[in-house]
């Protein structure tokens, strides 16, 4: 048991002062871009009852003494960001793509290209009654990068979305839980299976072929 008396041997490599609260971080899993890390931020402006956020992208670099340094590689403002996920790709020639779950009830998909983060598609008002999107995940594919996404909402619903060449389409939405759904994740080995967990203390497993 840790009693708080052991000496801290952790070495601080770098730090960045964020304007907002950092609440999610995700390393890029795209071939050739493993040195990228994304950070999502969130803050509720209580005086105006508005949730704001910003996505920051950093590139990992190493100093002459071996310390890791964070070099800013792009940013994009938006609503409060609750979750972020990179789309996995084995193609090193592909520009990295990332999705975020927004406090305004939207899912946005962005691409990192030429040192900039650019929005390429957005699905609005996925959660009814002005609810929030709380988590997002990309589907699994054994061949090409997946164009399927899932997201969970504060209204207890799950949605399945499809990224096309022109937009982000909401395919289906269903009532999944009796409370806020804080987590959704595709099975790592079965592309048809989706997991969800919520404030109703229930973990569910969904087969999307049904």
């Amino acid at each position: 048991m840790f009693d708080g008396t052991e000496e801290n041997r952790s070495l601080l490599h770098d730090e960045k002062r964020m304007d907002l609260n950092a609440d999610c971080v995700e390393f890029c899993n795209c071939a050739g871009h493993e040195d990228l890390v994304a950070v999502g931020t969130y803050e509720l402006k209580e005086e105006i009852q508005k949730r704001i956020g910003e996505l920051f992208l950093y590139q990992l670099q190493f100093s002459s003494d071996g310390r890791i340094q964070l070099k800013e590689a792009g940013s994009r403002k938006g609503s409060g960001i609750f979750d972020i996920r990179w789309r996995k790709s084995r193609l090193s020639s592909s520009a990295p793509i990332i999705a975020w779950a927004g406090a305004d009830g939207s899912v946005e998909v962005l691409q990192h290209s030429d040192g900039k983060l650019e929005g390429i598609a957005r699905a609005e008002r996925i959660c009814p009654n002005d609810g929030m999107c709380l988590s997002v995940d990309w589907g699994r594919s054994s061949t090409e990068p997946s164009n399927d996404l899932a997201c969970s909402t504060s209204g207890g619903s799950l949605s399945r979305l499809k990224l096309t060449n022109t937009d982000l389409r909401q395919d289906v939405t269903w009532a999944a839980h009796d409370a806020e759904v804080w987590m959704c994740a595709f099975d790592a080995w079965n592309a048809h299976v989706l997991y969800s967990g919520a404030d109703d203390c229930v973990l569910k497993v969904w087969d999307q072929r049904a």
Side-chain angles (χ1 to χ4, degrees):
M1 179 181 294
F2 177 66
D3 60 6
T5 61
E6 184 176 347
E7 181 183 356
N8 179 20
R9 298 185 178 88
S10 299
L11 173 65
L12 176 64
H13 282 245
D14 197 3
E15 62 180 64
K16 297 292 182 183
R17 174 64 63 181
M18 317 293 289
D19 293 331
L20 305 173
N21 303 312
D23 65 347
C24 52
V25 61
E26 182 86 357
F27 275 85
C28 187
N29 53 6
C30 305
H33 302 280
E34 295 89 347
D35 59 345
L36 293 177
V37 59
V39 180
T41 65
Y42 166 89
E43 186 171 321
L44 172 61
K45 294 292 185 180
E46 294 187 6
E47 64 274 14
I48 58 175
Q49 286 297 299
K50 183 178 181 180
R51 297 174 175 88
I52 62 173
E54 189 167 358
L55 180 67
F56 294 92
L57 191 61
Y58 295 100
Q59 185 177 27
L60 302 184
Q61 297 185 334
F62 292 90
S63 63
S64 58
D65 61 358
R67 290 175 182 257
I68 299 172
Q69 296 180 321
L70 299 172
K71 178 185 177 183
E72 190 165 337
S75 64
R76 185 177 177 89
K77 294 182 182 294
S79 67
I81 299 172
F82 285 114
D83 197 21
I84 49 178
R85 285 291 183 275
W86 292 98
R87 182 176 74 165
K88 187 173 183 179
S89 174
R90 299 182 179 89
L91 306 175
S92 58
S93 59
S94 299
I97 288 177
I98 190 170
W100 84 39
D104 60 355
S106 69
V107 170
E108 186 160 355
V109 178
L110 306 98
Q111 178 177 276
H112 181 251
S113 180
D114 298 325
K116 296 185 296 184
L117 272 172
E118 299 178 331
I120 58 175
R122 180 181 174 91
E124 302 275 359
R125 299 180 181 177
I126 294 174
C127 183
N129 302 321
D130 297 323
M132 301 175 289
C133 288
L134 301 179
S135 71
V136 64
D137 195 25
W138 290 94
R140 306 295 186 257
S141 175
S142 60
T143 54
E144 298 293 329
S146 176
N147 290 321
D148 297 318
L149 297 100
C151 75
S152 66
T153 75
S154 61
S157 63
L158 290 172
S159 291
R160 193 170 65 237
L161 304 98
K162 174 79 71 175
L163 179 64
T164 71
N165 292 330
T166 58
D167 63 3
L168 184 59
R169 186 179 68 243
Q170 187 174 350
D171 278 351
V172 63
T173 296
W174 69 98
H177 291 265
D178 295 327
E180 294 93 340
V181 187
W182 285 102
M183 178 277 291
C184 69
F186 282 97
D187 191 296
W189 311 109
N190 188 334
H192 303 291
V193 174
L194 179 69
Y195 296 81
S196 64
D199 271 356
D200 57 5
C201 301
V202 179
L203 174 67
K204 296 187 178 184
V205 186
W206 306 88
D207 190 329
Q208 299 174 93
R209 294 169 296 184

